[in-house]
Amino acid sequence: MALTKQDIENIQIDYGIVYVNYGETDDQKLLGPTRGGGEFVATATIRDIEYDGSKGKTKGMQVVDDITAQLNVTSLNASLESLKLALPYAKYDQLTETLTVDKDCLGIIPDEAYLKNITMFAKTVKGEYKKITLYNAMSENGLTFAAAPKAEGTIALNVYAHWDATDDTKNLFEIEDVERIQFE
């Protein structure tokens, strides 16, 4: 079977470029140096409706109970601002250049801990991009920060998209084809 020109043009060929709050004029920024690109994962919890006489999975008898989306990125940026992405509940004081966690960090995570979005662009053979945007994004895996001789420190970010409890019309994530990365 021969490949079509469109098949070839849609092959993803390059690492992911990741932006925090892409398209937001007040706080859009490049995540910084990363290693290994990025990995987008979307999963759904599908429940089979069981009934007497069923022979197994049945078309029309399944329900989507839950959908999750995450972007996994390995960051090399050890700035406090970047480390705060891994600890969204922590307090970051730009004046004193400190990141702290105290008893006040316990409880409901405030709205400002969530990023408006995190967006990854992946280049295709055609020279265009797949744009993957996760909304109300927040890392939930914590922080492991290791210093090793003759090696760079890495920070694993597993950023999850979150539904908006006050506006059920908003998307969890979007995947688009775009010709270029727009810089606001």
Side-chain angles (χ1 to χ4, degrees), residues 63-107:
V63 178
V64 175
D65 282 334
D66 182 82
I67 301 170
T68 61
Q70 73 184 76
L71 182 62
N72 303 318
V73 180
T74 301
S75 176
L76 300 176
N77 185 350
S79 70
L80 291 178
E81 187 177 1
S82 183
L83 295 177
K84 172 121 176 60
L85 292 175
L87 301 168
Y89 45 83
K91 297 174 187 172
Y92 174 48
D93 187 328
Q94 291 178 324
L95 295 175
T96 62
E97 295 185 11
T98 57
L99 188 62
T100 58
V101 174
D102 61 22
K103 66 177 177 52
D104 294 334
C105 296
L106 298 173

Side-chain angles (χ1 to χ4, degrees), residues 47-58 61-63:
R47 176 174 39 94
D48 291 310
I49 299 172
E50 296 179 12
Y51 60 96
D52 293 341
S54 169
K55 295 178 183 168
K57 294 188 176 293
T58 305
M61 298 298 286
Q62 293 180 304
V63 178

Side-chain angles (χ1 to χ4, degrees), residues 83 85-89 139-144 155-158:
L83 295 177
L85 292 175
L87 301 168
Y89 45 83
S139 179
E140 296 183 15
N141 64 312
L143 172 66
T144 300
I155 298 104
L157 294 173
N158 301 104

Side-chain angles (χ1 to χ4, degrees), residues 120-134:
M120 179 176 71
F121 292 89
K123 195 172 187 178
T124 64
V125 167
K126 188 177 181 180
E128 296 180 349
Y129 297 88
K130 297 293 180 194
K131 176 185 171 195
I132 303 171
T133 304
L134 285 70

Side-chain angles (χ1 to χ4, degrees), residues 30-56:
L30 189 62
L31 179 62
T34 59
R35 177 172 292 152
E39 176 187 48
F40 171 71
V41 180
T43 56
T45 302
I46 298 175
R47 176 174 39 94
D48 291 310
I49 299 172
E50 296 179 12
Y51 60 96
D52 293 341
S54 169
K55 295 178 183 168

Side-chain angles (χ1 to χ4, degrees), residues 6-56:
Q6 186 176 13
D7 290 336
I8 294 168
E9 289 177 344
N10 280 309
I11 295 173
Q12 187 268 319
I13 59 167
D14 216 342
Y15 55 86
I17 300 168
V18 180
Y19 283 87
V20 172
N21 293 328
Y22 181 78
E24 302 293 329
T25 55
D26 57 338
D27 60 353
Q28 170 183 293
K29 63 184 174 222
L30 189 62
L31 179 62
T34 59
R35 177 172 292 152
E39 176 187 48
F40 171 71
V41 180
T43 56
T45 302
I46 298 175
R47 176 174 39 94
D48 291 310
I49 299 172
E50 296 179 12
Y51 60 96
D52 293 341
S54 169
K55 295 178 183 168

